[in-house]
Amino acid sequence: MLSGEDIWCQLFSEPGAGSDLAGVSTRATKDGDHYIVNGQKTWTSLGHVAKYGILLCRTNPDAPKHAGLSYFIIDMRSPGIEIQPIVEMTGMHMFNNVFFTDVRVPAENLIGDENRGWELARETLANERVTLARAGAQWGWGPTAADLIALVRERGGAPDAITRQRLAQVYIEGEILRVYRLRMVAARVSGKLGPESSVAKALSDPHGQHIFRLARDLSGAEGLLKEVGPLGADPTWWANGFVFSPALTIGGGTSEVLKNIIGERILGLPREPEPDAGRSWAETRRN
Ligand SMILES: Cc1cc2nc3c(=O)[nH]c(=O)nc-3n(C[C@H](O)[C@H](O)[C@H](O)COP(=O)(O)OP(=O)(O)OC[C@H]3O[C@@H](n4cnc5c(N)ncnc54)[C@H](O)[C@@H]3O)c2cc1C
């Protein structure tokens, strides 16, 4: 897994459970030394090429929603898994719908204790946010603010005052993020990384959008019609990155959800109202 030889996917989101991830309804029912899985996941990146997936399922519908979830590893070649592609507006196929019909998962593939999956899912998402907040503008991949600034310098400087202001702005954001990432590394090394990764991602996603929007504006009128890079640069990364960039503030936790986490867990503000508090998942209102 660490070497990247085996591709894995994350089977968390469902049509009725994205930001409200604890509301997932895909069921895993114990049957001897297996669990039987039925339900649907969506937006599963790389599900069509993944060998294994991490799967969040409901194992106890009669417990409160956070307390009835379990976390499994699933072999994506198991009988009963059907994968349907979703083609994105970039023209690429990364996402999938994944359907489970009586899929048998060995009980030994349960990670941690049954019904304690929520803690593991939260830990997974916190670590994912660290990765998504690396320096490249597209969730850690692709060009950085420094790359765009170098390109503008190389090709004759910023053409006008507004562009200079915007370049300075992405530089400032990039520097704040660079320092913040060092703080996260220090927190991880000392075993104290908590909700800080939400701050990093909440800063990093709009930063990526600012970089790609500025690059698109530097592509001129031609950039509206076809794939060209800023100031005539090679379009690789830039054109696709711009079309992908609205997704930055959605996947891995939307900006609004990240701000809720920051408000509650870092600033100590009151929690969001929970109309379903005290009810079991089976009794909650669902999409
Ligand atoms: C590029 C990309 C890759 C992805 N890959 C995967 C993957 O591999 N595996 C996987 O499981 N999922 C994946 N996802 C799904 C992603 O996790 C969800 O899209 C995300 O959690 C948001 O859920 P949703 O789309 O259901 O939106 P919703 O939760 O329906 O949100 C809709 C809107 O309501 C707002 N909102 C919702 N709740 C609140 C609240 N409490 N307070 C304020 N505002 C709120 C949101 O911010 C958003 O603007 C991916 C998404 C993207 C864009």
Side-chain angles (χ1 to χ4, degrees):
M1 189 179 185
L2 276 179
S3 69
E5 284 163 42
D6 290 339
I7 295 175
W8 288 55
C9 63
Q10 187 185 85
L11 298 152
F12 284 7
S13 304
E14 298 183 0
S19 300
D20 182 20
L21 184 60
V24 299
S25 54
T26 295
R27 289 290 306 273
T29 312
K30 191 91 186 276
D31 178 29
D33 56 1
H34 280 73
Y35 285 85
I36 312 294
V37 176
N38 282 287
Q40 181 195 346
K41 297 291 175 179
T42 192
W43 311 127
T44 312
S45 304
L46 303 178
H48 56 303
V49 288
K51 207 164 171 184
Y52 301 102
I54 48 175
L55 172 69
L56 191 65
C57 277
R58 186 148 312 275
T59 36
N60 183 0
D62 298 318
K65 63 180 180 180
H66 295 90
L69 296 167
S70 298
Y71 191 108
F72 297 91
I73 289 177
I74 189 164
D75 185 335
M76 291 300 286
R77 294 152 301 184
S78 307
I81 295 184
E82 188 195 336
I83 300 175
Q84 291 180 356
I86 304 173
V87 176
E88 301 97 42
M89 71 178 181
T90 55
M92 294 168 78
H93 163 212
M94 181 183 73
F95 287 142
N96 300 274
N97 276 312
V98 182
F99 298 89
F100 301 86
T101 308
D102 293 332
V103 179
R104 294 179 68 78
V105 179
E108 65 189 21
N109 286 21
L110 172 71
I111 306 296
D113 295 331
E114 191 180 85
N115 299 322
R116 298 294 301 272
W118 180 244
E119 288 93 327
L120 293 171
R122 261 180 39 164
E123 185 70 20
T124 304
L125 292 172
N127 281 301
E128 180 186 22
R129 284 169 193 152
V130 175
T131 315
L132 296 180
R134 286 172 302 137
Q138 191 169 327
W139 279 340
W141 301 94
T144 61
D147 292 329
L148 183 59
I149 292 163
L151 203 141
V152 171
R153 271 213 208 100
E154 180 195 301
R155 288 169 193 245
D160 57 72
I162 301 284
T163 304
R164 277 197 296 279
Q165 292 282 316
R166 290 174 71 190
L167 282 167
Q169 180 63 34
V170 293
Y171 170 77
I172 293 166
E173 292 168 1
E175 283 301 286
I176 292 171
L177 271 160
R178 189 175 63 77
V179 174
Y180 199 82
R181 274 193 295 272
L182 292 175
R183 281 182 62 174
M184 283 199 302
V185 172
R188 168 55 83 205
V189 169
S190 59
K192 288 187 202 139
L193 185 64
E196 295 83 359
S197 61
S198 294
V199 177
K201 187 171 183 294
L203 284 167
S204 179
D205 295 340
H207 175 57
Q209 291 175 341
H210 297 161
I211 292 173
F212 283 124
R213 206 168 299 152
L214 179 52
R216 192 274 321 266
D217 291 348
L218 290 170
S219 307
E222 212 185 351
L224 297 173
L225 300 173
K226 57 180 192 177
E227 293 199 349
V228 290
L231 303 171
D234 184 309
T236 310
W237 279 110
W238 296 110
N240 182 73
F242 173 71
V243 183
F244 181 87
S245 61
L248 295 174
T249 46
I250 302 173
T254 69
S255 293
E256 292 77 16
V257 165
L258 297 176
K259 286 174 191 155
N260 284 344
I261 294 171
I262 293 164
E264 288 171 17
R265 299 188 51 208
I266 298 182
L267 305 182
L269 301 178
R271 291 182 64 83
E272 278 194 281
E274 291 182 64
D276 292 319
R279 295 202 181 106
S280 71
W281 174 81
E283 294 165 331
T284 57
R285 294 165 302 151
R286 293 191 291 279
N287 294 332

